[in-house]
Amino acid sequence: MVQALNRLKESASQTAGPYVHIGCTPNFLGMDGIYPDDLGRAMVNDKTKGERITVTGRVIDGTGTPLKDALIEIWQADAAGLYNSPSELRGSADPNFTGWGRQPTDLETGVFSFETIKPGRVPFTDGRDQAPHISFWIVARGINLGLHTRMYFADEAMANREDPILARLEHKVRVRTLIAERQADTYTFDIHLQGARETIFFDI
Amino acid sequence: MSNLNPETGPFFPRDRSWQPKAYTPEYKTSVVRSPQKAPISFPNTISEITGPVFGHNILGERDHDLISNFAKPGESALGERIIVHGRVLDERGRGVSGALIEVWQANAGGRYRHKNEGYIAPLDTNFGGCGRTITNDEGAYEFRTIKPGPYPWPNGVNDWRPAHIHFSLFGDGFAQRLITQMYFEGDPLIPLCPIVNAISDARAIEQLIAPLDMANTIPMDARAYKFDIVLRGRRSSPFDNKLEGN
Ligand SMILES: [Fe+3]
C-alpha cells in the first residue's frame, strides 16, 4: 500500500442551457431591479489606457446558422501586457480596465460585441513573447463543456508568425480560424463550431 | 479578496473522460454544436492562470435570497422553501475563497422568467430566478430559494428535466471557469435525462446530486440541501520548467 493522493474530481460540466441570461445577464433580458448592471458589460471607462477597439462576431453551428442563445466571456491583458488579477505578479494592471467581459449573442441576429482595448503582449512559459491575444470562453444550449479558444489580430502578422502557440499548430491551414480581420476600429471574429472552417479550440 | 498568497501554478490537466463529451446525440442540440476536431493542448501561460476576481462590494443584501430578491415588499416566492449551501473546493481539497457563484432556476411550477420560454405553467410575480454570492474564507456559500419544478423540453416528444439549479462558478484562473447544474436527491427524472446522461461516469453524475441535509434545516421554515462543487486544482510546486540556462 502507498499513501492516497486524496485528490477530488472536478465537478462535471452541464450545459448553460437556453436561459443562461437569467443568471448571468438578467438586465439584458429586461429583468432589472435585482442587480444594478450585468457583470462584465463594461470593460473600459474614460481613463482606460490603450487603443479602443470593438470585437464582434457570431458563433456558427454546423448548419451555418448563428447561435442566438450563446454567452461569450473574454479575458485579456491591458495595453501594457498585464492582467488585472491577484495571480499577476509582474506588476499592477491598469485599474481602469477590468480585462474581463461578458456578452450574450443577440437574441435575433446572433451577433456579440465587446468594447475593449487592444491588449499588450504577455510572455509564454519560457519567457518568449506571445502575440497579442484575447482568451474566449463560449457556453450555450447544446454545448456540454464550455469551449476555450483565443483571438489573434490580423494586423499583427509579425507577432503572430513568432507566437509560440500558433507556431506549434500542426495544421497551418487552421491558424486563420483564430485570426480576427480588422476594419477601422472593429475586429470581426466568427467562431465556427464545426465544418471545414471549424475554429481551433484549446484544452487548457 | 482574502487571498494573501495568490497562486500562480498551472492547473492540473482537465480529465476529459470525467467531463461530458461534446457530441452526445441523445441531447439533440449537441449534434450541430459539438466541435469535431480534437482540442489542442498547450501549457498554461499567464493568460490561463490568471482570471477575474470579484469583491463582496458587488453584492446586494438580497442577492443570495431568491425568495425575496424579486418579490414585492412583504411578499415572497411560492414553493418549497429551501437552503442550498456547501463549499467550493479545488481538486486538492482546499476551500476556494472569494469564488463568485451565480445561480438561475425555474420557479416552483417549472417555469422560467425568460422571453423564449413557452411552458404553460404560470410565472410567479414574486420570483425572478437568479441569485449570486461569493464564498467566504473557507470556501463556504449559502442561498435561500424555493425548490424548482421539473419541466418538459423539446428534445424527444416527452422529455422532462429533473428539478435543477444552474450554477456558474469563477475560481481565480480563467481555465477554471465552470457551469454546471445541481440536482436533488431522490428525483426519479435524473436517470432519464439526456443532458445528465451526457456524463458517462455514474460517479460524476452522483457528484452533482445534492443530498437532503436535515442537520442544517431551519425548523418550521426551510429544508436544506448540501451541494459542494469542485474546481480544477493547481500545481503548488514553485519549480518552473524553464529551459536550462534561462
Ligand atoms: Fe434549466
Side-chain angles (χ1 to χ4, degrees):
Chain A
M1 285 292 284
V2 299
Q3 294 185 6
L5 278 171
N6 289 326
R7 291 275 153 69
L8 303 177
K9 298 298 290 186
E10 182 191 21
S11 297
S13 168
Q14 292 272 262
T15 179
Y19 307 129
V20 62
H21 315 99
I22 299 173
C24 296
T25 60
N27 292 279
F28 165 81
L29 268 191
M31 189 163 43
D32 37 20
I34 301 187
Y35 310 146
D37 197 1
D38 289 336
L39 222 49
R41 198 182 59 81
M43 301 175 70
V44 296
N45 64 30
D46 305 344
K47 298 190 213 92
T48 307
K49 297 194 188 83
E51 182 189 354
R52 300 302 169 102
I53 60 169
T54 300
V55 173
T56 186
R58 297 166 299 165
V59 183
I60 298 164
D61 75 15
T63 73
T65 308
L67 274 56
K68 292 162 187 153
D69 50 14
L71 185 78
I72 321 285
E73 291 186 10
I74 64 173
W75 174 241
Q76 64 168 96
D78 70 7
L82 293 168
Y83 282 98
N84 191 343
S85 155
S87 303
E88 172 62 88
L89 304 180
R90 298 171 300 138
S92 294
D94 181 352
N96 293 301
F97 183 60
T98 67
W100 176 73
R102 176 158 74 182
Q103 294 287 346
T105 54
D106 185 88
L107 296 176
E108 258 96 58
T109 64
V111 173
F112 65 81
S113 182
F114 293 91
E115 299 302 319
T116 184
I117 50 122
K118 201 164 172 188
R121 298 179 75 166
V122 303
F124 190 61
T125 50
D126 59 8
R128 279 183 292 165
D129 270 344
Q130 303 188 56
H133 62 273
I134 298 179
S135 297
F136 273 66
W137 187 67
I138 301 128
V139 293
R141 178 173 63 100
I143 295 177
N144 290 320
L145 176 63
L147 299 169
H148 286 278
T149 186
R150 281 180 169 200
M151 183 195 111
Y152 292 82
F153 297 83
D155 53 344
E156 297 282 349
M158 181 86 92
N160 292 342
R161 250 196 313 277
E162 61 191 33
D163 180 83
I165 289 171
L166 295 180
R168 67 198 286 154
L169 296 172
E170 179 188 352
H171 300 104
K172 296 298 175 213
V173 64
R174 298 190 68 204
V175 171
R176 73 168 86 111
T177 70
L178 301 180
I179 297 180
E181 292 300 330
R182 178 169 199 160
Q183 243 184 342
D185 296 331
T186 299
Y187 289 90
T188 301
F189 185 51
D190 282 340
I191 295 156
H192 293 266
L193 298 176
Q194 296 181 347
R197 289 190 290 168
E198 182 176 315
T199 300
I200 293 179
F201 297 103
F202 292 112
D203 178 22
I204 55 170
Chain B
M1 259 318 267
S2 58
N3 196 349
L4 297 176
N5 289 306
E7 296 202 70
T8 56
F11 290 100
F12 301 149
R14 187 165 241 162
D15 182 351
R16 289 190 167 252
S17 64
W18 185 261
Q19 292 291 339
K21 298 282 184 290
Y23 176 76
T24 50
E26 283 73 28
Y27 175 22
K28 293 180 183 176
T29 312
S30 76
V31 172
V32 293
R33 294 184 172 196
S34 44
Q36 294 164 330
K37 297 180 172 68
I40 307 278
S41 303
F42 62 83
N44 281 180
T45 74
I46 187 82
S47 303
E48 289 72 40
I49 64 171
T50 56
V53 297
F54 304 89
H56 288 81
N57 60 308
I58 68 162
L59 299 177
E61 232 168 73
R62 294 187 301 174
D63 280 6
H64 69 303
D65 184 10
L66 287 73
I67 287 182
S68 76
N69 69 11
F70 194 75
K72 292 188 267 305
E75 300 187 13
S76 58
L78 283 171
E80 300 176 33
R81 298 160 68 85
I82 59 170
I83 304 289
V84 175
H85 75 105
R87 290 178 74 203
V88 179
L89 305 159
D90 72 16
E91 290 169 289
R92 298 168 300 185
R94 300 186 190 178
V96 181
S97 66
L100 173 67
I101 307 177
E102 298 163 301
V103 296
W104 64 103
Q105 63 168 87
N107 70 21
R111 171 76 185 264
Y112 281 100
R113 185 174 288 279
H114 193 285
K115 285 175 179 149
N116 295 340
E117 155 76 296
Y119 183 33
I120 52 171
L123 284 169
D124 173 355
T125 54
N126 287 316
F127 189 71
C130 66
R132 62 185 180 183
T133 192
I134 293 177
T135 57
N136 70 11
D137 288 351
E138 279 80 50
Y141 74 92
E142 183 174 51
F143 289 99
R144 189 172 77 147
T145 186
I146 50 92
K147 191 172 176 191
Y151 58 85
W153 60 296
N155 186 61
V157 287
N158 188 26
D159 280 330
W160 291 73
R161 292 304 324 282
H164 61 278
I165 300 177
H166 296 265
F167 273 69
S168 159
L169 294 117
F170 291 80
D172 47 22
F174 200 55
Q176 284 174 301
R177 202 67 185 82
L178 182 71
I179 282 182
T180 186
Q181 301 182 26
M182 173 193 125
Y183 302 100
F184 292 84
E185 177 183 7
D187 189 335
L189 292 169
I190 295 171
L192 306 180
C193 177
I195 289 176
V196 172
N197 290 329
I199 304 168
S200 51
D201 193 313
R203 295 165 301 168
I205 294 173
E206 283 165 19
Q207 194 182 0
L208 300 183
I209 304 175
L212 176 66
D213 178 7
M214 283 305 284
N216 279 295
T217 285
I218 306 173
M220 307 306 284
D221 182 343
R223 275 143 51 232
Y225 283 87
K226 193 206 73 157
F227 187 55
D228 290 341
I229 304 126
V230 181
L231 299 179
R232 291 171 67 184
R234 294 177 187 256
R235 212 168 66 205
S236 320
S237 159
F239 299 107
D240 281 334
N241 79 21
K242 291 246 167 73
L243 295 172
E244 287 300 323
N246 278 17

